[in-house]
């Protein structure tokens, strides 16, 4: 199952607004309940990130981090570990957005 756009948007809101632990648990739970693979979520998040209002350096760093997660998954890395990397990338992006707004 490829996640529908509404679910991808919900993941993005969660990743940008929830604490690390809450986002990690929620995304892991939704993936397990709905049968989503992390690579499919990343595929849906990338076009969405391009449309979000955020500073270009923050967007670039986030896209690079997602590409790294996707490459690690393709190489056979543990999906739960890479989910942590995904959540961490969004936490860093959130910090960058806040710093740019100040």
């Amino acid at each position: 199952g490829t996640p529908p756009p509404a679910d991808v948007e919900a993941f993005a809101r969660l990743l940008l607004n929830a604490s690390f632990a809450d986002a990690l648990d929620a995304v892991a739970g939704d993936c397990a309940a709905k049968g989503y693979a992390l690579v499919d979520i990343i595929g849906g998040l990338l076009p969405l990130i391009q449309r979000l209002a955020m500073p270009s350096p923050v967007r670039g760093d986030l896209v690079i981090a997602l590409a790294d997660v996707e490459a690690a998954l393709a190489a056979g890395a543990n999906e739960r570990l890479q989910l942590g990397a995904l959540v961490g990338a969004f936490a860093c992006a959130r910090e960058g957005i806040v710093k740019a707004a100040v």
Side-chain angles (χ1 to χ4, degrees):
T2 301
D7 284 355
V8 173
E9 289 174 15
F11 285 131
R13 276 192 305 276
L14 182 70
L15 290 165
L16 286 169
N17 295 304
S19 71
F20 183 92
D22 290 344
L24 184 68
D25 290 342
V27 174
D30 280 353
C31 285
K34 297 179 180 181
Y36 299 149
L38 187 56
V39 71
D40 292 330
I41 293 170
I42 292 170
L45 285 171
L46 285 170
L48 181 63
I49 290 168
Q50 297 302 323
R51 296 191 314 264
L52 292 175
M54 66 176 66
S56 294
V58 173
R59 180 184 337 241
D61 290 345
L62 183 56
V63 169
I64 289 169
L66 294 183
D68 289 344
V69 169
E70 193 171 35
L73 289 169
N78 179 285
E79 189 160 319
R80 178 73 178 190
L81 182 62
Q82 294 309 308
L83 175 57
L86 172 78
V87 174
F90 272 88
C92 289
R94 182 174 51 236
E95 288 178 16
I97 292 167
V98 169
K99 284 181 185 176
V102 177

